[in-house]
Structures are given as structure tokens and as C-alpha cells.
């Protein structure tokens, strides 16, 4: 199974690409969706956030007041780092569980949709990194229109992330979302052709690890008694030479 990392900048179009991949029956593991789940009331990450940020960023029902927490972390890189430390371990664990589940189902490709793929170092876990790109001017316009933010607030959120130009420089595949949906769809289809392994590669990647494990177990069972007997003979000889 091939793991592909999908990332981009805020309002660059990553979610649109993720939806297009799902429409092509490519399994998606959505880090944002998981991040919302791991901070639900009663979860360890929820308690950690309350410990570090206090009750002011929570709603009366125990859920996180996302707009208020967003104001805090986007204005302070140190607090943003603390939030990531509260949530990232739980998110990574759940993503790996879901990836393993897709492997058991025989998936040939699974896409990890992770906004902070490069920042968090999760790109080291994938076989290819895909970055969805658009110009910063267009990114700013889209973010202001989508979230109803002022130019200053939108710029603050963009600056809080790694520059898209740097992400592009570290990408294996770049999808340019500066034009229209039709052109983006064409790029996505071409990308699918590039990332899908051949049938032989899929079989070797899927069947290889279990086969190696079974082979190791068989070898241990076959040779362990013989090895133990040799060890016993060697110990006996050593005792006899010391007598």
C-alpha cells in the first residue's frame, strides 16, 4: 500500500482536491476531521487543552470554542506549538490505525490529508508528497471570502503556516489551483495515474510483510530446537573442560 501525503496552505484548495480523490474512490484519512474528534469532551486532548489554555476557550457544554481558541493561537506561535503538542500525538495514532485498517482491506493507495504534513514531519511517513498551490494574493482573497475575515486577520492566518513556496519546493507533485475546477480535476486525474502502483507492486507491498513474518515464524520453529541443542552441547563441553 502506498501512502500519499496531501497538503497545502489555508484556502489553497486542498479540501477540494481531497473531495475529488474521494470521488475517484481513493481512501482519505482526514487529519482535520480526526483532530476535531480527539478534542471532544472527555478525551485526553480536551483535558490537556483545558489545562494549558484554561476554561475561557471552552463552551458551556465542554466543547472547544474554536473561534476563541483560534484567536489565541494565531496571535502567539508559542501557544500554537502548545496546542499542537496537546493534539498531534492522538491525531497521529488514529491516522496510523486507519491506515492499517485500509491496508487490511487491500487498498493500493491511501491519502493522508494533513494541513501541517511538512511542519509536523509526517511527510517522512509517506511515499509521495502532494502540495496544492495558488498565489498568495488569490489565497488571501479566498480566505477573506470564505471565512469573512478582515485582510489583517486573514494575513495573520496565512503567515502562521509554512509559506506555500517552501511547501512547493519540498513536494513530489504540485497541483496548481490558480485557474478553474476543470483544470484542477484534470491535474488530479493525472496525479492518480502517477501515484497508483502497478498490480505486481501492490501485491508485493500487500503480501510481502505478512509473508516475511510467516517465514520468520516458520524458520524459528524449525531451527530453534536445533539451536537449543547446539547451545546445550556447547554448555556441556564448557563445563567438562572446567572440571
Amino acid at each position: 500500500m502506498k501512502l500519499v501525503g496531501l497538503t497545502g496552505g489555508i484556502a489553497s484548495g486542498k479540501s477540494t482536491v481531497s473531495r475529488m480523490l474521494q470521488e475517484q474512490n481513493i481512501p482519505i484519512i482526514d487529519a482535520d476531521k480526526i483532530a476535531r474528534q480527539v478534542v471532544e469532551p472527555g478525551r485526553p486532548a480536551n483535558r490537556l487543552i483545558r489545562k494549558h489554555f484554561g476554561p475561557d476557550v471552552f463552551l458551556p457544554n465542554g466543547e472547544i470554542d474554536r473561534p476563541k481558541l483560534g484567536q489565541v493561537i494565531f496571535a502567539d506561535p508559542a501557544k500554537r506549538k502548545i496546542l499542537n503538542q496537546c493534539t498531534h500525538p492522538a491525531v497521529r495514532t488514529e491516522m496510523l490505525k486507519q491506515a492499517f485498517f485500509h491496508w487490511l482491506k487491500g487498498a493500493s493507495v491511501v491519502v493522508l490529508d494533513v494541513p501541517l504534513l511538512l511542519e509536523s514531519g509526517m511527510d517522512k511517513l509517506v511515499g509521495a508528497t502532494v502540495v496544492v498551490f495558488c498565489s498568495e494574493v488569490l489565497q488571501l482573497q479566498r480566505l477573506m471570502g470564505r471565512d469573512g475575515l478582515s485582510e489583517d486577520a486573514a494575513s495573520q492566518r496565512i503567515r502562521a503556516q509554512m509559506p506555500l513556496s517552501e511547501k512547493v519546493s519540498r513536494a513530489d507533485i504540485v497541483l496548481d489551483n490558480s485557474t478553474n475546477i476543470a483544470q484542477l480535476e484534470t491535474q488530479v486525474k493525472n496525479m492518480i495515474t502517477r501515484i497508483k502502483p502497478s498490480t505486481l507492486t501492490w501485491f508485493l507491498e500487500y503480501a510481502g510483510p505478512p509473508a516475511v513474518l510467516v517465514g520468520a515464524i516458520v524458520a524459528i520453529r524449525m531451527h530453534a530446537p536445533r539451536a537449543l541443542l547446539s547451545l546445550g552441547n556447547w554448555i556441556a563441553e564448557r563445563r567438562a573442560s572446567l572440571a
Side-chain angles (χ1 to χ4, degrees), residues 31 34-36 38-39 44-46 48-49 52-53 64 66 69 80-94 116:
I34 294 172
R36 288 191 291 272
V38 300
V39 297
N46 183 286
L48 283 173
I49 293 171
H52 289 285
F53 293 90
I64 292 173
R66 295 183 181 279
L69 182 59
R80 189 163 60 249
K81 183 177 180 180
I82 291 172
L83 178 65
N84 290 339
Q85 291 171 345
C86 292
T87 60
H88 281 187
V91 172
R92 288 183 181 182
T93 298
E94 181 59 30
L116 301 180

Side-chain angles (χ1 to χ4, degrees), residues 6 13 16-22 24 26 130 132 173-176 181-195:
L6 174 66
T16 301
V17 170
S18 184
R19 174 179 54 78
M20 291 178 178
L21 290 169
Q22 284 183 307
Q24 296 296 319
I26 302 294
V130 179
V132 184
I173 301 173
V174 177
L175 303 178
D176 187 351
I181 290 294
Q183 290 197 8
L184 184 61
E185 285 180 340
T186 299
Q187 293 178 69
V188 169
K189 289 178 181 177
N190 291 337
M191 180 193 76
I192 292 173
T193 301
R194 287 181 62 182
I195 65 175

